[in-house]
Amino acid sequence: MVKITASLIALAGTASAFAPASNNGPSTMALNAEMSRAVPFLVAPTKTAGYVGDVGFDPLGFSDLFDIKWLREAEIKHGRSSMLATVGFVLQQYVSLPGYEHCNDSNMAPNAVGASAMLQIVFWMGVLEFWTNKGNVTMETMFADPDRVPGNLGFDPMGLGKNKSEEEMEKIQLNEIKNGRLAMLAIGGMIHHNWITGEALF
């Protein structure tokens, strides 16, 4: 009798391994989630929606980890800096400031002007950053004002944004963000071209 009971218990235990799992609640996997337009096999990030230039590209999920306004401001500022940098990188190959040695390789230009000139740039950029954000330069304080729009520093000396409809402004902003993204890739490519080849860009 003991052997029969033990055999039945053993059989019941092995049979339970093949039984369907009980469904205690809704599945956590969102099968109807919207997929990214930029990376179709990834779920589209939700926090980038509504921003000009959003194509659902956030493969590392930064928008879930950091303040989206801070990320947006960083992208716009780096894009603007890169647009200036690409022009400067090419221009430096052909034009030199009076009193400074000419460098065909733009990567060597910082050596030609010396550390003091480079530190002045870093210092004055820091002052500009502090001034434009009214002293709020950390991620925690930069958007203490909820009405502050990322990248809008009120700088429009040529009046390009005056008397424009919302649709026209969005087109201008889209052009800026796309050109900024391209410039970030371009300046990286230019710098690495000179490093790898050891030659001037053109």
Side-chain angles (χ1 to χ4, degrees):
M1 185 68 180
V2 174
K3 287 183 180 179
I4 295 173
T5 306
S7 298
L8 289 174
I9 292 173
L11 286 173
T14 56
S16 65
F18 299 99
S22 61
N23 187 2
N24 295 327
S27 173
T28 56
M29 182 174 288
L31 297 178
N32 60 348
E34 183 181 350
M35 303 309 284
S36 167
R37 287 188 296 153
V39 191
F41 53 86
L42 294 178
V43 176
T46 57
K47 294 184 179 176
T48 61
Y51 282 97
V52 173
D54 172 44
V55 290
F57 185 80
D58 185 17
L60 300 179
F62 285 139
S63 61
D64 293 324
L65 302 173
F66 303 102
D67 180 4
I68 188 63
K69 285 188 172 183
W70 184 80
L71 291 172
R72 183 68 169 185
E73 176 111 344
E75 180 183 28
I76 292 171
K77 283 185 176 179
H78 281 84
R80 290 169 179 169
S81 298
S82 296
M83 286 187 276
L84 292 171
T86 53
V87 174
F89 198 88
V90 174
L91 189 65
Q92 193 281 326
Q93 186 174 332
Y94 301 103
V95 179
S96 296
L97 293 174
Y100 289 105
E101 179 185 350
H102 177 74
C103 294
N104 286 327
D105 184 353
S106 298
N107 284 342
M108 297 294 105
N111 293 338
V113 298
S116 62
M118 298 305 295
L119 289 173
Q120 286 180 49
I121 293 172
V122 172
F123 174 78
W124 287 111
M125 288 299 101
V127 169
L128 184 63
E129 182 83 9
F130 191 87
W131 174 65
T132 55
N133 291 314
K134 300 176 182 175
N136 298 320
V137 294
T138 66
M139 190 189 305
E140 290 79 15
T141 62
M142 188 174 281
F143 292 97
D145 178 4
D147 295 328
R148 183 170 178 270
V149 178
N152 185 359
L153 306 177
F155 182 76
D156 186 15
M158 298 178 68
L160 298 175
K162 290 182 179 177
N163 302 320
K164 295 281 195 303
S165 67
E166 186 176 342
E167 184 179 336
E168 289 172 324
M169 281 304 299
E170 284 188 3
K171 185 176 180 181
I172 292 171
Q173 291 167 0
L174 181 61
N175 289 339
E176 179 186 34
I177 201 83
K178 282 187 172 182
N179 281 286
R181 289 169 179 169
L182 178 61
M184 285 188 275
L185 294 172
I187 191 62
M190 291 175 177
I191 291 169
H192 283 81
H193 167 274
N194 287 18
W195 274 343
I196 293 167
T197 66
E199 299 176 357
L201 193 60
F202 298 109

